[in-house]
Amino acid sequence: MRRYAERAGFSPEMRGPTTDYFFARSLVAAGMGISLAPSIAPVPEVAGVCTVPIKEPVPIRHIGAATLSRRRDHPQLATLIHALQEQAAAVGDM
């Protein structure tokens, strides 16, 4: 957030990071701040707040999977990793 704000020409005073996007948007609607949310986040609509996409280069997030070596052959793990890879590819195409 700080890096993108500085690129836009200001330095934010950050007080409380959150992953509660409804709360963050409510603060924005009340004129008490700005918010940055990932594109895959379930961001609810809040009256008076609009979404503005970030121009290139956009932030990225890396997700990894770690397992016990003796548990690599579980089909549930393969399914989870495949689903994560598909979602990452889908978001990358947006």
Side-chain angles (χ1 to χ4, degrees):
M1 173 74 138
R2 194 175 313 278
R3 182 174 359 134
Y4 287 92
E6 289 172 357
R7 284 182 49 209
F10 68 99
S11 181
E13 190 174 316
M14 299 177 74
R15 295 293 180 179
T18 182
T19 55
D20 182 342
Y21 301 113
F22 180 75
F23 175 69
R25 283 195 135 199
S26 296
L27 289 175
V28 172
M32 299 189 63
I34 61 172
S35 176
L36 183 64
S39 61
I40 62 171
V43 181
E45 293 296 321
V46 174
V49 175
C50 66
T51 301
V52 179
I54 296 176
K55 294 181 181 177
E56 296 285 338
V58 297
I60 59 170
R61 178 175 290 169
H62 298 278
I63 299 173
T67 68
L68 297 173
S69 60
R70 66 179 184 269
R71 309 279 284 191
R72 282 190 201 145
D73 58 344
H74 277 262
Q76 297 92 338
L77 177 61
T79 300
L80 172 64
I81 291 173
H82 181 70
L84 289 171
Q85 290 170 332
E86 282 186 339
Q87 183 63 39
V91 170
D93 291 339
M94 292 180 149

